[in-house]
Amino acid sequence: MMKFCTKLLLLMNFSLAFFCACGDVVTTEPNYYKCSDNSKISGYAAEFGNYKVGKAIPYKHSDGYLFSLAVIDRDNYIDDVCTKHLNTILESAYPIYSISLSIETTTFYYNEQDKLNQTITAEFGQYVFSLRNPESLKSAHDSSYIEKMEINGVTYTDVAVAKGRKYEQSYKNDYQTNTVESSARLYYQTKKGILKIEMEDGSYIAINEEDD
């Protein structure tokens, strides 16, 4: 009887250890391994602006002063529900401006149409813009597509314009999501990224590559 109990106890301990070990494997495995082995987003969203950390882009304010927007962060990752993200932040030292660009996708396998239909969300102060692929706008003969545009002495082709919306309160917080229509406009191009932002008061900032 004693030998039987000993064997039973050993069997129970082995089973418990096996169960715990299996549990550890399941709970400690990073979620992104279950989603995809590649977090990178490709296509229009990845090519937009050719933004790389450390890159500085010259701009000019409608009041005449010159400044640069620098790429200070570019984060590519997969979240817990298997959604890919690409977030980019541009900032200037003075005057203090900050622009965040973000995109998320729910699929890991693109066809060419998926890439064409990507949309980037741009936030600039209280304004929010939805930047659709200029190639998609062009093929659809959308009025948001501009074939040619001159900015500070330089001509840009394949430009698009996005109508802005703004947060209901002047200063956005993490819980504020409601937006209303705005007369703000953002002009952009896939190769150069953000070209010009027009604000509601008539002022604007625009890329300034003439002497670059």
Side-chain angles (χ1 to χ4, degrees):
M1 182 67 179
M2 180 64 70
K3 290 183 178 180
F4 174 78
C5 291
T6 302
K7 289 181 179 180
L8 181 61
L9 184 60
L10 289 172
L11 181 62
M12 289 175 64
N13 288 336
F14 176 79
S15 299
L16 181 59
F18 179 79
F19 176 78
C20 291
C22 291
D24 286 342
V25 171
V26 172
T27 56
T28 59
E29 180 186 359
N31 285 332
Y32 61 80
Y33 288 143
K34 304 173 186 177
C35 302
S36 170
D37 60 358
N38 183 9
S39 66
K40 299 295 183 183
I41 290 177
S42 60
Y44 158 67
E47 297 164 3
F48 185 79
N50 189 31
Y51 293 133
K52 294 179 176 63
V53 173
K55 179 179 180 179
I57 307 102
Y59 281 83
K60 184 177 182 179
H61 192 277
S62 52
D63 286 342
Y65 54 81
L66 305 176
F67 65 98
S68 293
L69 280 168
V71 182
I72 65 165
D73 189 38
R74 189 163 172 86
D75 190 17
N76 213 148
Y77 67 94
I78 299 177
D79 65 22
D80 291 338
V81 292
C82 299
T83 300
K84 282 186 177 184
H85 299 262
L86 176 58
N87 300 325
T88 305
I89 298 177
L90 295 85
E91 283 189 359
S92 60
Y94 182 84
I96 300 174
Y97 288 126
S98 180
I99 301 173
S100 67
L101 305 170
S102 59
I103 182 171
E104 61 181 48
T105 64
T106 55
T107 177
F108 304 113
Y109 304 101
Y110 298 113
N111 58 38
E112 291 307 310
Q113 194 62 34
D114 290 329
K115 294 178 183 179
L116 197 63
N117 292 331
Q118 290 175 340
T119 300
I120 299 170
T121 299
E123 293 195 26
F124 175 67
Q126 70 186 98
Y127 302 114
V128 183
F129 304 89
S130 183
L131 313 184
R132 297 163 59 197
N133 191 332
E135 285 297 316
S136 177
L137 297 173
K138 180 181 180 180
S139 62
H141 304 286
D142 194 294
S143 60
S144 299
Y145 175 80
I146 303 170
E147 186 174 348
K148 189 180 296 184
M149 182 178 184
E150 184 175 311
I151 301 175
N152 288 327
V154 177
T155 300
Y156 300 89
T157 58
D158 298 320
V159 176
V161 57
K163 297 179 180 179
R165 295 185 65 82
K166 66 178 181 180
Y167 290 102
E168 288 184 327
Q169 299 175 16
S170 299
Y171 297 98
K172 174 185 173 293
N173 58 52
D174 292 338
Y175 305 103
Q176 184 183 338
T177 56
N178 294 333
T179 60
V180 295
E181 290 186 6
S182 167
S183 60
R185 297 288 183 269
L186 189 154
Y187 298 84
Y188 61 99
Q189 180 200 58
T190 303
K191 183 179 179 181
K192 295 291 184 179
I194 296 172
L195 301 176
K196 184 178 182 180
I197 302 177
E198 297 175 347
M199 289 156 270
E200 289 182 312
D201 62 1
S203 63
Y204 62 84
I205 62 172
I207 196 167
N208 185 44
E209 295 188 305
E210 185 176 21
D211 300 322
D212 187 33

